Amino acid sequence: MKILFVLSNLYVEGNGLSVSARRTIKTLRDAGQDVRVLSGENPKHGGPEPEYKLKRFIFPIVQPIIDHNGFCFAKSDPKIIEEAVRWADVVHVEEYFPLQHRAILMAEKLGKPVTATYHLHPENILYQLGIHWSWPNRVLLKYWRRRIYNHCNRIQCPTENVYDRLMRYHIHAQFKVISNGVIPDTCIRPITPPDNYFDDNRPLDVIYIGRFSVEKDQPTLLEAMRYSAFNQRIRLHFAGQGPRKNALVKHAQRLVKEGVLKYEPVFQFHTRDELRELAAHADLAIHCATIEVEGLSIMEAMQQAVVPVIAYGHHTGTPQFALTAKSTFPKKNPEALAERIDYWLSHPKERWEMGFRYAESMKQYDIRESANQLIEMFGLAIRDQQYLNAYKQPNTLDK
């Protein structure tokens, strides 16, 4: 099967969409599929390049904001787009921008099926611009419906939350809940707790893995420290990068200066192996995101048997991975988050055992199974398009 992935840039680092796409493409290739990419050029000179390479598009005035948020856009070259689409059996779009729309129009012209993955909520984009009203997000989603979704045969919904949202918009395509999947990883946390685990005086490591951006809402965790009975023992570690780092560092330093925190929070970008070590030694992993399609970072942390505490809201898909209500709290509610943190830190034996239940639960989200389901989805889209193409052919018996 010849599968064409269409996205703005496959190689941007720190962008969860690009990371997920790279992993999915590799897994599909490992499964024997012929996958090519239509994408912008690699920002790093000398690095790998897509099979169908497009030049980078620079936005006037707002380009620094786009760079800070880990996005990179591509110019649409009609000749390259046609070459790529003509090669493919199925065109799979990962975003909802002009490049994807032009690829879809070319696919329709050439009689090729189109599928999509819902990777971004409108809020993921508009929140970066300071737009928090609900109506512009509804308008943008309706625009995507007209320009992208209604042209698709099937759409991958990574979580039930995404499925429910798209169903309300009466999109013509068929939906399938398929996790983006996590790379199967060995849990390196020891089966038995270390000798000092039950020590009432040891520091307690609480981690947050995610971009420093407005929708990830790290400030709620920082403010929760004002209400936690364990604030003098908690060591916060924020793993990531992004445009909100300086504001978060100042917020954290203010809490230390006020005496709310004894240990100064750490803000640091980590490699994947370093993140695994961080999660394996953590006491809790917090996920405060107010807008989240799936949340692969917290899923990978759970593979290392760390108990999560996850925010829930209208557009957060991550709570579906919680095994108990004690692992969820209402978004933007630092008092409720502190209550959950204090519960788990007050019950170390239950926390240790529950961590391994979380690690076991992640096995069902193996990216290889996700790839198998995507292959099935692509095959069904190709079959449906073949029927449609045959229907459109003139009946030669009538001549």
Side-chain angles (χ1 to χ4, degrees), residues 157-164 177-178 293-294 317-318 320-321:
C157 303
T159 55
E160 295 286 350
N161 178 269
V162 167
Y163 179 93
D164 292 342
V177 178
I178 304 173
V293 167
E294 187 169 26
T318 319
Q320 79 172 47
F321 306 117

Side-chain angles (χ1 to χ4, degrees), residues 188-189 205-210 235-240 266-285 297 300-302 304-307:
I188 62 175
R189 185 184 292 264
D205 292 306
V206 176
I207 65 173
Y208 191 127
I209 302 172
R235 290 190 303 201
L236 294 175
H237 196 124
F238 294 91
V266 176
F267 296 83
Q268 187 176 353
F269 181 76
H270 293 272
T271 65
R272 186 169 181 274
D273 287 341
E274 290 169 345
L275 288 175
R276 180 172 56 181
E277 289 283 344
L278 184 69
H281 292 91
D283 290 284
L284 283 176
S297 62
E300 291 183 338
M302 284 188 275
Q304 299 306 318
V306 61
V307 170

Side-chain angles (χ1 to χ4, degrees), residues 310-358:
I310 302 166
Y312 64 82
H314 291 302
H315 303 313
T316 55
T318 319
Q320 79 172 47
F321 306 117
L323 300 180
T324 170
K326 298 169 187 173
S327 280
T328 64
F329 73 98
K331 69 176 185 176
K332 287 190 172 296
N333 189 326
E335 294 97 329
L337 174 55
E339 182 182 348
R340 293 292 187 243
I341 289 173
D342 287 357
Y343 174 84
W344 287 114
L345 295 183
S346 299
H347 296 79
K349 185 175 184 295
E350 181 184 356
R351 186 173 79 249
W352 189 268
E353 293 170 352
M354 182 59 77
F356 285 97
R357 286 184 57 192
Y358 272 107

